[in-house]
């Protein structure tokens, strides 16, 4: 048998192919003065804290498990990003009520109680439920005009909801 001058073994072409492709991979189309990409933390955001005495005094007699106009108050969360949040549920419908300080020039709330504005977001529910619950919560807030504004509460600033 005459030996073949060219012997190709599996995997023997991988290294030359990588060496040829390496210069193409190291090219950068970004400008030289571009800032580095932001570092993304792998830590999840801390879970929301339950409401403390200041928040609960404002919405008394509501507490987790209470009824609010046909819905059950599932959670009352501490002020976060300037807003006190109540999560209400009925069957598969969930309505989040957000209490913030009323502000001139801000978004128009569905319900107002003195210095407080009540907003809502609804999932699996008719928007009329959200508006009705916002008004029911506003009626409760009106009963507490002497309760101090919970620490950290500010006016409502809407943020886009990721789809």
């Amino acid at each position: 048998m005459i030996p073949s001058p060219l012997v190709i073994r599996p995997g023997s072409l991988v290294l030359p192919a990588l060496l040829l492709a390496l210069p193409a991979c190291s090219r950068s189309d970004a400008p030289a003065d571009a800032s580095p990409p932001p570092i993304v933390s792998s830590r999840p955001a801390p879970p929301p804290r339950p409401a403390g005495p200041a928040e609960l005094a404002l919405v008394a007699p509501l507490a987790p498990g209470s009824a609010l106009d046909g819905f059950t108050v599932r959670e009352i969360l501490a002020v976060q990003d300037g807003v006190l949040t109540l999560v209400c549920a009925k069957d598969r419908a969930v309505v989040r009520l957000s209490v913030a300080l009323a502000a001139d020039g801000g978004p128009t709330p569905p319900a107002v109680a003195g210095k407080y504005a009540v907003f809502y977001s609804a999932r699996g529910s008719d928007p009329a439920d959200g508006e009705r619950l916002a008004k029911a919560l506003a009626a409760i807030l009106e009963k507490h005009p002497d309760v101090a504004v919970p620490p950290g509460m500010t006016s409502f600033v809407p943020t886009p909801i990721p789809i």
Side-chain angles (χ1 to χ4, degrees):
M1 176 183 253
I2 301 175
S4 171
L6 180 62
V7 176
I8 299 177
R9 295 183 199 138
S12 64
L13 295 178
V14 172
L15 183 60
L18 283 175
L19 292 175
L20 289 173
L22 191 58
C25 293
S26 64
R27 280 195 320 249
S28 175
D29 294 333
D33 63 342
S35 59
I39 296 173
V40 178
S41 173
S42 62
R43 291 186 213 150
R49 294 178 298 114
E55 292 98 350
L56 293 175
L58 185 62
V59 298
L62 292 179
S66 298
L68 180 64
D69 204 1
F71 278 68
T72 300
V73 176
R74 185 187 296 166
E75 296 177 276
I76 303 175
L77 303 172
V79 172
Q80 183 175 352
D81 297 327
V83 178
L84 166 67
T85 303
L86 285 82
V87 180
C88 302
K90 179 180 179 182
D91 301 325
R92 300 181 117 199
V94 176
V95 176
R96 295 177 66 88
L97 299 169
S98 301
V99 180
L101 295 176
D104 292 333
T108 303
V112 177
K115 57 187 157 206
Y116 299 104
V118 183
F119 297 90
Y120 72 88
S121 63
R123 185 179 72 224
S125 175
D126 187 322
D129 290 334
E131 190 158 337
R132 193 180 74 248
L133 287 171
K135 289 178 181 178
L137 179 56
I140 290 172
L141 296 173
E142 286 178 346
K143 296 177 183 178
H144 305 292
D146 297 332
V147 172
V149 174
M153 185 176 278
T154 61
S155 58
F156 179 74
V157 178
T159 56
I161 298 173
I163 297 175

